[in-house]
Structure formats: C-alpha cells, structure tokens
Amino acid sequence: MDQNHTAGWLRPLQADRLTPFLEIDAARLQRNLQQMQHKADSAGVTLRPHIKTHKSVWIAEQQRRLGARGITVSKPSEGIAFIESGERDLLLAYPIVHADSLIALLSAAVQHQARVTCIADCAAGVDAIAAAHARQPECPLAIAIKVDVGLHRIGVDPHSDAPLLLAQQISASGLPFAGLVSHAGHAYGAGNPSAIAAVAQQEIALMLGLQQRLSEAGFAPCPISVGATPTALAAPVATGSDEIRPGNYALLDLTAWRLGLCTPDALALTVVTRVVAVNPHFAIVDAGSKMLSSDKGPHGTNASGFGIAVDEDGNQYEVLKLSEEHGFLRYDDRAPPVGALLRIFPNHSCAVVAQSDRFVLRQPDGSAQELEIQGRGKFI
C-alpha cells in the first residue's frame, strides 16, 4: 500500500499481552488534548472536558495540567469516582428528577469540598435538586438551565417562556443560577465540517438570544456553556460562549474521521485483537460486541460496519458484524493468518471505553502501562 493510504493507520503492534485489549497511544492523546486546550485558551473560554469519553482519572489529570478547569460527567456515580480522585468542580450534564439520585454525589462533594452544578429543564428537576440540597446543605450546588438547540433530547425550547419560569424557580429555591448549558449533538448527523459549523452558529445564536431575554428579566450574569466535539473541531469557538465541553476530542474515532474532523493519525484509541479463525466467508477475531460495543456512531452517524481492522503491513479489513466474543472481518484476496495481531479503529470511542476496566497506555518507544478506567460501569 502507498504511504498516503497507510498514513496514520499503520502502527507497530506489540505482542506483549493477551488480547483483546484497549490501547491508547500516549503521543496522539497528548496532541489531541493540547490542541483543544490551545483552542480554548486562544478564544479566552474555559475548557471543561466531558470525561464520559475516556472515563479515566489519569487522562482527566492530564487535561487539568494543560489548563482545563473542572470536568463534565454523565451520571452522579461517575462524578463520585472523580471527586474521590481529586476533581473539585463538576458539571453533572444529566437531568435529575429524583432527589435520591443526588444524595451520594452531594455527600462526596461535601466530604472532599467539591462544587457541583446540575442541569434542569423542567420544574420537577429543580424541585428534585433543591430537595437533595436540603438534605446536604453544606454542598456548594448551583443549577444551570439546559437548552434544546436542535438535538431534541433534553432541554427547554429557547423561544418559549419555560427558561424564564425555570430561572425564577431556581432563584426562589435559594440555589445559585449557573447560566445556560447546551449540547449540539445533532451536529454528528450534519455530515461534513461545513454543515457542522453551521450547527455551531445556530447553537450560539439561540443561546445568545435566550441569554439576552434572561438578562432583561434580571437574571445576570448568565454564562453560556456549549459542548460537542464536532462543533468544537469544525468551527471557531463561538463569540459569546464562556465555556466549551467537548469529550470525544481526547481519543477521537472513526465517526470523527468519517465526518472529516480529523485524520487517521489523530485516532488515539484502538482495540488490539488476534485472528482466531479463518473460513471462506470471514476472518474471525477475538474482539466482539463485549469489547467493541455494537455502536455504529452517535446521533445518526451509522456506519456500514463496526470498525476498521489493520494488520502489521497496513492491510485493512472491515469489521462487518459482531457476536459477543467474536468479530467478523471481510477480506478479499488474502485473509490475515490465524494468530495474527490486528488493530481495530472503532466507530465510537465513548462506547468502547465503557466496555473495559482498564486500558494500555502505549508510549512512542513501545513501552506500556495498564491504567484503570474508574468511571466505567457507572449507571446511576
């Protein structure tokens, strides 16, 4: 294969442990982290990375050392793991509608003197958060309003009266109003960088319009926090935003590559696997849905397969289908031999990391260490 075709895909494969396993390329990870931090710093905004992608205390520490301030988490139990490991400023980017869901997180925050910001998009959410705080009043807790900017998952309609009513309810609860939070996850379905940039422009326009309405109603300051890797990579940091919350940028994946947001050389996460069988139909590897997940990409970016496998010579094989413990690779004229090591570039890094308890951090000289994934398996 020519050099241009193999650039970024062809990497050394180390037969130094049993397969399958997650491998994170230390140099590529560091480069991704530095580039996003530089973008945030140049724009004068806070980078509060979403750790749902890597779920790793060690990687969060690297982000913090580079200048990230605070983290974003998906679930309260995920937040507890990071508070206990040294994080002191968390945004819980998930709707709370039952007070009991927050008690353990707020207790950990009190014990470790951490700040927590929750989001709400309805009156029941504010009531639940306020009720939890009444049981843990020592915790520094604030509430931000989640705004629906097009994904239509969680969030208030920015054109409605709902955000004004919520801001009034938050104020009446006695908890600080932390501003506006959005996630333009529908950018994953936009298809290309130009269309994704247009989504980013629409997002900030909606947020600024709502900010103006809230300010006129007396709710100021009202900071704006936006978050999605596609918009963070495809567009300049939007003027008027105070904080960005990308997550996938740390590792990236085939979804980002297919959208034109990165080159193969930026893909920091792979799965190292071994060929265990070859038949006239498929080459079979020891990484199935329990390792790779069955995720073809977030928010409408479905791929044709479940990843791209590359051998030590740069030959590529599509991961066509999965069973629990096996991956089925399509091959043309030449199948990889039984026993061969392959490197699979997955569709969606967040879903793949969630499958494993640890990852191998591979240095440029080939040395490696195993690190825990403290935030995986946190469902509550």
Side-chain angles (χ1 to χ4, degrees):
M1 304 180 72
D2 63 69
Q3 186 174 2
N4 289 333
H5 189 69
T6 60
W9 301 107
L10 183 56
R11 306 177 190 179
L13 283 159
Q14 305 286 341
D16 57 357
R17 63 198 69 229
L18 296 175
T19 58
F21 61 88
L22 294 188
E23 184 170 292
I24 294 179
D25 185 290
R28 289 176 169 87
L29 168 68
Q30 186 70 9
R31 188 171 66 213
N32 292 344
L33 300 184
Q34 289 173 340
Q35 288 173 347
M36 187 62 73
Q37 188 64 57
H38 176 73
K39 188 167 190 174
D41 292 344
S42 297
V45 301
T46 297
L47 173 60
R48 181 190 289 273
H50 205 316
I51 56 81
K52 71 179 179 65
T53 296
H54 58 72
K55 301 174 180 64
S56 159
V57 166
W58 185 87
I59 295 179
E61 288 173 349
Q62 310 316 302
Q63 291 171 313
R64 185 167 61 239
R65 288 173 184 171
L66 289 170
R69 285 177 278 170
I71 61 171
T72 308
V73 300
S74 292
K75 292 292 184 74
S77 57
E78 190 176 72
I80 292 170
F82 282 81
I83 285 177
E84 291 176 345
S85 300
E87 294 293 342
R88 296 294 176 260
D89 186 353
L90 276 73
L91 170 66
L92 175 60
Y94 197 83
I96 295 297
V97 295
H98 195 291
D100 287 351
S101 300
L102 269 184
I103 298 304
L105 175 63
L106 300 190
S107 177
V110 170
Q111 181 181 354
H112 297 279
Q113 299 181 315
R115 297 186 300 169
V116 176
T117 301
C118 291
I119 63 165
D121 71 345
C122 64
V126 175
D127 286 343
I129 295 166
H133 187 251
R135 293 160 61 181
Q136 291 286 345
E138 299 87 358
C139 178
L141 179 64
I143 304 178
I145 294 174
K146 182 66 181 288
V147 183
D148 181 5
V149 293
L151 180 58
H152 306 320
R153 185 176 64 183
I154 302 295
V156 296
D157 179 348
H159 301 296
S160 71
D161 291 333
L164 296 175
L165 295 173
L166 272 183
Q168 292 168 0
Q169 185 185 1
I170 292 168
S171 178
S173 76
L175 291 171
F177 172 49
L180 304 175
V181 170
S182 64
H183 172 61
H186 55 300
Y188 279 101
N192 60 72
S194 178
I196 292 169
V199 169
Q201 293 170 358
Q202 295 162 2
E203 175 185 32
I204 194 61
L206 290 171
M207 295 289 273
L208 287 172
L210 179 52
Q211 182 191 55
Q212 180 64 27
R213 291 174 59 207
L214 285 164
S215 296
E216 290 172 354
F219 296 101
C222 180
I224 290 175
S225 174
V226 297
T229 288
T231 51
L233 290 177
V237 176
T239 301
S241 54
D242 300 286
E243 179 179 271
I244 59 174
R245 308 184 325 278
N248 187 266
Y249 79 95
L251 303 178
L252 296 171
D253 49 33
L254 290 185
T255 295
W257 170 69
R258 291 185 179 112
L259 288 172
L261 299 173
C262 70
T263 66
D265 193 51
L267 305 179
L269 173 74
T270 56
V271 173
V272 178
T273 185
R274 191 178 296 277
V275 178
V276 295
V278 175
N279 60 52
H281 308 283
F282 303 103
I284 309 298
V285 295
D286 59 6
S289 62
K290 289 181 178 177
M291 189 72 190
L292 289 169
S293 92
S294 296
D295 196 330
K296 289 192 172 185
H299 305 313
T301 51
N302 286 346
S304 60
F306 297 91
I308 296 173
V310 183
D311 67 17
E312 60 184 358
D313 297 318
N315 297 303
Q316 296 184 10
Y317 311 91
E318 182 180 17
V319 184
L320 194 62
K321 62 179 183 175
L322 301 173
S323 56
E324 292 183 21
E325 307 294 352
H326 302 89
F328 295 68
L329 309 188
R330 176 164 50 199
Y331 65 90
D332 294 322
D333 298 332
R334 189 182 69 167
V338 172
L341 285 179
L342 303 177
R343 182 182 302 280
I344 297 177
F345 294 83
N347 288 329
H348 189 188
S349 59
C350 307
V352 171
V353 173
Q355 304 290 92
S356 294
D357 291 325
R358 60 191 61 84
F359 66 89
V360 174
L361 183 70
R362 186 74 64 181
Q363 300 295 338
D365 64 1
S367 62
Q369 64 183 122
E370 284 197 3
L371 296 173
E372 290 186 31
I373 302 173
Q374 291 88 346
R376 63 94 50 185
K378 309 299 184 183
F379 302 114
I380 298 175

